[in-house]
Amino acid sequence: DIQLTQSPSFLSASVGDRVTVTCRASQGISTYLAWYQQKPGTAPKLLIYGASILQSGVPSRVSGSGSGTEFILTISSLQPEDSATYYCQQFNSYPRTFGGGTKVEIK
Amino acid sequence: EVQLVESGGGLAQPGGSLTLSCVASGFIFSSYEMNWVRQAPGRGLEWISFISTSGRTIHYADSVKGRFTISRDNAKNSLFLQINSLRADDTGVYYCARDQLEVIYNFYYMDVWGEGTTVTVSS
C-alpha cells in the first residue's frame, strides 16, 4: 500500500501569510494526487486534483504542485476562511490512501 | 442540485450489523463510480471502498475487507454499505463520495460528498 505523510500536522499563521503543506508518498504516484479541505463538522471539499489542477470555484490563492513522491499545497495569502484541516489523497492505486491531515490555524 | 444524502447510521452493538445508504440526486447516478470514506472521532479520513458503475469492480481497504460489502442499485440512485461484525473502531462518520475522471490525463478524484452518517458501536 502507498503511504502518504503530510507535514506539518499543525501550523499557525497570520492572515496574508504564504502557507505550504507537504505530502510525501512512499512510492511514486506520478500526479495522481488530490487535495481536500475539511472544516469541523462538515464534509471534505475538493480543492485540487491531478496534483495541480484547481477545482472549479476554488480561490486562485490556492495552488498545488509536485509529482512522483513530493507534493505541495500552497495558499499564497492566508484568509480567515482558510482555517481548516487539509488532506492529500492518492489515486495511483488501491487502497486510495489519505495523508494524516494538516490543521491550519489563523493566529 | 447535485447531492448525496447518507442514512442508516446510529448506535449499534459490537458484533452486530448495519446497512448504510446513500441516495444521489441531480446527476445520472448510473454513470458514476462511487466510494465510501470514514472518519473516526477526532481522526483523519480513511478511504474504505469503491464500486464501479456496473457494480462488477469493487475494492476495499484491508481494514474492512471481509466485513464490509459495498453495493449499488442504479434504478434507485442508491449506494449501500453493509457492515458486519461491528467493532468499536468502526465508530465514526461515514461519507459517500462521487468518483470523477478527467479523461485527458486519466485523473481521478472525489468531487461530490454527502454530509455523512454517524455510526457508534458500543454496548
Side-chain angles (χ1 to χ4, degrees), chain B residues 109-123:
Chain B
Y109 50 97
M110 297 178 193
D111 66 337
V112 179
W113 296 64
E115 287 305 309
T117 187
T118 301
V119 172
T120 304
V121 182
S122 175
S123 54

Side-chain angles (χ1 to χ4, degrees), chain A residues 5-105:
Chain A
T5 304
Q6 285 184 235
S7 60
S9 55
F10 174 85
L11 72 87
S12 182
S14 301
V15 171
D17 283 354
R18 182 183 182 87
V19 165
T20 62
V21 178
T22 298
C23 176
R24 289 189 173 87
S26 58
Q27 62 190 77
I29 59 170
S30 182
T31 52
Y32 297 121
L33 187 103
W35 289 96
Y36 303 89
Q37 175 194 64
Q38 187 182 35
K39 297 184 178 181
T42 69
K45 172 189 171 184
L46 175 70
L47 298 176
I48 284 172
Y49 62 94
S52 62
I53 301 172
L54 201 65
Q55 171 71 344
S56 175
V58 174
S60 58
R61 64 179 182 276
V62 178
S63 64
S65 63
S67 67
T69 60
E70 184 155 332
F71 303 85
I72 296 174
L73 175 73
T74 300
I75 303 174
S76 60
S77 178
L78 194 67
Q79 299 301 305
E81 59 267 31
D82 298 331
S83 177
T85 301
Y86 294 82
Y87 295 93
C88 55
Q89 183 189 20
Q90 65 84 17
F91 288 83
N92 183 80
S93 61
Y94 289 95
R96 289 175 159 179
T97 41
F98 285 92
T102 296
K103 185 173 183 179
V104 175
E105 176 193 88

